[in-house]
Amino acid sequence: MIGVDASPEMLAQARKRLPDVAFHEADLHRLPLPDNAVDTVVCALALTHVPDLAAVLAEFARVLRPGGSLVISDAHLLVSYLRPTLARRRGTDGRPSLLAEHHRPLSAYLAAALPLGFQVRQCEEPRRPRHSLDPDTAPDPLPAYVSWDLLHWCPEASAAALDDSPIAVVWHFQLDGIRKAEQPDQIN
């Protein structure tokens, strides 16, 4: 198992939990692996912060062996409509800042993956569980910031908008057994 992250802080946390795993500080656009090096790539909740999806998927295809699997989880496009983008802490100064987020329709993943020789094996859209409408017992549907405070005043509207909505998309792609570069030229 090999772990890759661009954040030294996240790598430090990962090393604490998994001391026997090799971790590398690197960008998703330049993985520190040779071509055809791994059987499976798992990318969890990171692609929403990448502006060029196709370039990262091309890097995943480069390091995967033919027939290898790519499993991606990412925030669902609907999440961008249902919750505000929240400030997160970054850097040593502790100042809040927004991470860039790129909310994509499901078709964007297909448009980036299929030309690289990936085939869809499965796509799931996990949903938020239904909550009670009783404001005293219902869990907070979202952090209460700015106008989102209104969600507590009208739990029926909150439940209608948020309950049972997709919160993520999980893709399982498989790389063709024959890479495009290895395929014979076709005459059209």
Side-chain angles (χ1 to χ4, degrees):
M1 187 177 340
I2 302 165
V4 177
D5 201 301
S7 165
E9 294 84 8
M10 293 301 290
L11 289 170
Q13 293 298 317
R15 286 183 180 110
K16 287 179 192 175
R17 295 188 69 190
L18 301 165
D20 296 330
V21 173
F23 288 101
H24 302 278
E25 183 177 340
D27 186 88
L28 291 177
H29 295 84
R30 289 192 183 98
L31 296 174
L33 299 168
D35 295 356
N36 305 325
V38 297
D39 293 316
T40 304
V41 171
V42 176
C43 184
L45 302 172
L47 295 180
T48 193
H49 303 293
V50 173
D52 185 359
L53 186 60
V56 172
L57 292 186
E59 182 66 357
F60 293 162
R62 180 189 70 77
V63 301
L64 273 172
R65 292 185 183 108
S69 291
L70 170 61
V71 178
I72 296 171
S73 66
D74 216 359
H76 198 285
L77 176 64
L78 289 177
V79 171
S80 66
Y81 297 119
L82 298 176
R83 67 142 174 88
T85 299
L86 304 175
R88 299 177 174 99
R89 297 214 175 263
R90 185 176 71 178
T92 56
D93 62 2
R95 293 182 0 179
S97 62
L98 294 178
L99 294 173
E101 291 185 4
H102 306 275
H103 302 283
R104 299 177 173 93
L106 299 183
S107 60
Y109 297 89
L110 295 174
L114 297 180
L116 296 169
F118 284 109
Q119 300 171 352
V120 177
R121 291 294 176 228
Q122 190 169 359
C123 179
E124 293 185 26
E125 298 172 89
R127 297 181 177 279
R128 184 182 313 278
R130 292 203 171 271
H131 293 118
S132 164
L133 293 180
D134 179 357
D136 295 327
T137 60
D140 288 340
L142 296 172
Y145 293 96
V146 195
S147 65
W148 291 89
D149 290 342
L150 299 175
L151 294 175
H152 296 286
W153 293 354
C154 188
E156 293 83 5
S158 172
L162 300 173
D163 279 355
D164 200 37
S165 61
I167 57 173
V169 59
V170 180
W171 291 97
H172 176 196
F173 292 104
Q174 185 173 20
L175 191 60
D176 285 341
I178 299 175
R179 297 216 181 234
K180 284 191 156 222
E182 298 170 350
Q183 293 176 355
D185 293 335
Q186 296 179 353
I187 300 173
N188 292 333

